[in-house]
Amino acid sequence: MTHNKIIFRSLIVLFFFAVNVNAQEVLTIENAVKIALENNYEIKIASNNSLISKTNVTSGNAGMLPKATATIVDNNGIQNLSQTRADGTVTTLNNGKSSNLNYGVGLDWTIFDGFKMFAKLDQLKELQKLGEAQLKMTIITKISDVNATYFDLVQQQQQLAALDTTIVISNQRLNLAQNRFSIGKASKLEVLNAQVDLNTDKVALLRQKELYANTKIVLNQILARDVKTDFNVVDSITVDSTLLLPQLTELAEKQNPQLEAQIINRKVAELQLKQIKGTRYPTVRLNTGYNFSESQSSLGFTTESSARGLNYGFSASLNLFDGFAQNRNEQIAKIQIDNSKLAFDQQNEQLYSQLATSYQTYMTNLELIDLEEKNEAIANQNLNITLDKFKIGTITTLEFRTAQLNYVNAKVRYSNAQFQAKLSEIALKELAGTISF
């Protein structure tokens, strides 16, 4: 069989592989991200937590609004009564009934508490921002997971195609060996070696298919959909080779959600100290109410009475001494502010370090893509030459097998280089807070 026929049959295998891919759902990375944003449980939980923080930002929750209370108290009793008056007259009554009914509305309003309520409202607003930053952090992390798993599937799909190609070549080698054996130009050993190598390639293909299927399950799990959902991914990896470290650093300083969270935590700690210091000032409250009362008694000078009316007033209180708790609370709050500053500095340095190392890895992987692409072309050329020589019997089966494996390994390394570069790109965009979602 000529070299052109072998290539033709290889193309046929790849064609049917592509047809099989198109017969199933082709999941794009954009659709995968969209599904994750809609379904992922961690994103949903973080979204609900952010909504809670937003709901908490109210004047009433900060203590700025008055509190109105409606009350009703109804007491009844049955008693055996005995009364002795000043003139010595004794009055008794068995099963005497009495009742006392009080109801009304009251209003209590703290009009000054040392500005604590204003600091509390500002703190609630910062906590809302913190919830939004944590939501963004969760989304970016999950979208990074989606991207990494998705492009892992892409490179695995490429490896499956490479293994399919090498099986076609191994089949042709076995056919050649059998033909040569039948006409007495090769030994049985050559046929057996060709069969063993073909079986080895089939085992590698099965292992790769298993890994591919398991990675599909992982991606379906991240997307929070039925893990049995079958799909295929695109057949190529496009790496953004235009990333620059200064621009990434500038974006990270503004948009990195972890750094943003540390900045907000520091503001929250400062507002907490402001609230604690407010305890040094007096607290002034206004109160008013309108009450009704009715009482009845079977025995006594007054058997029935009722009253209704308005009451109002104010109260003020000032903490004079609390066992030095005020000083202790302020000291602790100041330490917490210091800790928040240290945490920010630590996060900042860690961010710069991660950016620098990830960028170096990114640049190396870009160079590896070019190198492995050239290696694949060389390995392909070498395989073609070796195949021609093998057909005319000028090289051994071992040399042919070596060239075949070198070709497969070159294709796998090229695919893996693209994948690793894509992972570096994803990591940099995650640190810079610019990953697309």
Side-chain angles (χ1 to χ4, degrees), residues 94-126:
N94 292 329
N95 298 321
K97 297 181 179 180
S98 63
S99 63
N100 192 343
L101 177 63
N102 290 278
Y103 56 97
V105 293
L107 186 69
D108 184 76
W109 192 3
T110 300
I111 60 172
F112 182 76
D113 63 352
F115 306 105
K116 289 190 294 183
M117 63 179 71
F118 299 100
K120 177 66 174 178
L121 182 60
D122 290 338
Q123 188 182 57
L124 290 173
K125 293 178 181 179
E126 293 300 325

Side-chain angles (χ1 to χ4, degrees), residues 79-344:
Q79 297 175 328
N80 297 324
L81 303 174
S82 176
Q83 291 182 350
T84 302
R85 299 180 180 177
D87 60 0
T89 305
V90 177
T91 305
T92 60
L93 177 64
N94 292 329
N95 298 321
K97 297 181 179 180
S98 63
S99 63
N100 192 343
L101 177 63
N102 290 278
Y103 56 97
V105 293
L107 186 69
D108 184 76
W109 192 3
T110 300
I111 60 172
F112 182 76
D113 63 352
F115 306 105
K116 289 190 294 183
M117 63 179 71
F118 299 100
K120 177 66 174 178
L121 182 60
D122 290 338
Q123 188 182 57
L124 290 173
K125 293 178 181 179
E126 293 300 325
L127 290 174
Q128 178 187 354
K129 295 178 183 178
L130 181 60
E132 293 169 352
Q134 291 171 339
L135 173 60
K136 181 182 177 182
M137 191 186 311
T138 301
I139 290 176
I140 288 178
T141 301
K142 284 297 130 187
I143 298 310
S144 295
D145 292 343
V146 170
N147 275 268
T149 308
Y150 181 89
F151 288 107
D152 188 15
L153 281 171
V154 174
Q155 66 109 7
Q156 287 184 35
Q157 189 168 269
Q158 292 173 344
Q159 292 181 19
L160 282 173
L163 290 172
D164 275 332
T165 301
T166 196
I167 285 179
V168 171
I169 297 173
S170 293
N171 270 315
Q172 298 311 310
R173 174 191 164 194
L174 178 59
N175 290 334
L176 285 171
Q178 289 173 338
N179 291 336
R180 291 171 64 181
F181 174 72
S182 64
I183 62 177
K185 289 186 176 182
S187 65
K188 184 66 175 179
L189 182 60
E190 182 177 330
V191 177
L192 294 176
N193 284 335
Q195 184 66 61
V196 169
D197 289 340
L198 175 59
N199 291 340
T200 301
D201 293 338
K202 289 181 177 180
V203 169
L205 180 62
L206 286 174
R207 292 296 186 191
Q208 186 61 46
K209 286 183 176 179
E210 177 190 11
L211 180 60
Y212 183 66
N214 287 338
T215 308
K216 277 187 177 181
I217 293 174
V218 173
L219 182 57
N220 280 328
Q221 182 182 6
I222 296 174
L223 301 183
R225 64 180 187 175
D226 188 355
V227 295
K228 296 180 181 179
T229 303
D230 198 11
F231 63 94
N232 283 106
V233 293
V234 297
D235 56 1
S236 62
I237 299 177
T238 303
V239 180
D240 184 357
S241 59
T242 63
L243 301 181
L244 299 174
L245 184 58
Q247 295 177 356
L248 291 169
T249 303
E250 183 180 356
L251 289 171
E253 291 173 348
K254 298 177 181 178
Q255 299 179 173
N256 181 269
Q258 291 177 312
L259 197 62
E260 184 181 355
Q262 294 298 342
I263 295 173
I264 296 173
N265 282 330
R266 184 172 63 182
K267 293 180 180 178
V268 170
E270 291 171 350
L271 289 168
Q272 184 64 31
L273 175 61
K274 190 173 181 180
Q275 291 181 66
I276 293 174
K277 285 185 175 181
T279 309
R280 292 187 177 275
Y281 294 89
T283 300
V284 180
R285 294 185 177 89
L286 296 179
N287 60 80
T288 184
Y290 198 89
N291 295 311
F292 300 82
S293 66
E294 297 178 1
S295 62
Q296 294 180 352
S297 177
S298 299
L299 183 65
F301 292 104
T302 304
T303 59
E304 184 175 345
S305 67
S306 63
R308 64 187 63 191
L310 177 70
N311 60 76
Y312 54 91
F314 80 95
S315 64
S317 63
L318 177 63
N319 178 27
L320 299 178
F321 181 73
D322 59 359
F324 304 107
Q326 178 69 27
N327 293 337
R328 183 174 63 253
N329 291 335
E330 289 184 13
Q331 289 175 0
I332 292 174
K334 290 177 181 178
I335 294 173
Q336 289 174 337
I337 292 175
D338 188 48
N339 280 341
S340 65
K341 292 178 180 178
L342 293 173
F344 171 78

